[in-house]
Amino acid sequence: MKLKRQQRALGFTLIEVLVALGIVAVSLIAGFRASAALTRSTQRQTDILLAHVCAENELVKARLSKQMPSVGDSSVACDQAGRSFNVNVTVRPTLNPSFRRMDAQVLDDTTPLLRLSTVIGRF
């Protein structure tokens, strides 16, 4: 009789193995979701950084120009790090005629990524 008790104690039951597999599966799924979230976040940060460079380029170009930007809307293509963005530039008058408000909105296809605004004065 002692021999039978020792043989039973040596292995795992099917339920114990299934519970362990369930725990491992849940852990792997949670790790995969966390990894996917980090990847999406990294891509979003990259897009924002590149969009910021495009918007800042347009605003600086207007600041360095010798003349006031004309009131109206325009669209400019911007290539950064192998990606193509569209920059919509809007120039509006202000209450003071010596200043103009300039907005640069960066789009990835049709998705807005970033908007920067500045006020440009007459030199």
Side-chain angles (χ1 to χ4, degrees), residues 10-123:
L10 291 178
F12 293 105
T13 65
L14 180 60
I15 293 184
E16 290 171 332
V17 171
L18 289 176
V19 168
L21 284 174
I23 291 170
V24 169
V26 168
S27 299
L28 287 174
I29 290 170
F32 175 73
R33 286 188 177 175
S35 174
L38 284 173
T39 302
R40 282 191 306 275
S41 176
T42 301
Q43 183 61 45
R44 176 80 176 142
Q45 286 298 101
T46 301
D47 290 347
I48 296 286
L49 175 69
L50 295 174
H52 193 276
V53 169
C54 287
E56 193 66 36
N57 282 346
E58 290 305 312
L59 297 179
V60 168
K61 187 177 7 175
R63 279 189 217 117
L64 293 176
S65 175
K66 298 288 185 195
Q67 53 187 329
M68 289 279 281
S70 55
V71 174
D73 299 337
S74 63
S75 184
V76 179
C78 177
D79 294 325
Q80 292 291 329
R83 303 264 325 267
S84 250
F85 298 98
N86 293 323
V87 183
N88 293 335
V89 179
T90 305
V91 179
R92 299 286 179 245
T94 62
L95 294 175
N96 185 337
S98 296
F99 295 99
R100 300 242 168 99
R101 177 185 168 147
M102 188 171 180
D103 296 318
Q105 182 177 23
V106 181
L107 303 150
D108 183 16
D109 294 326
T110 58
T111 307
L113 294 175
L114 178 78
R115 179 186 298 258
L116 289 182
S117 298
T118 191
V119 175
I120 297 177
R122 196 178 311 256
F123 298 107

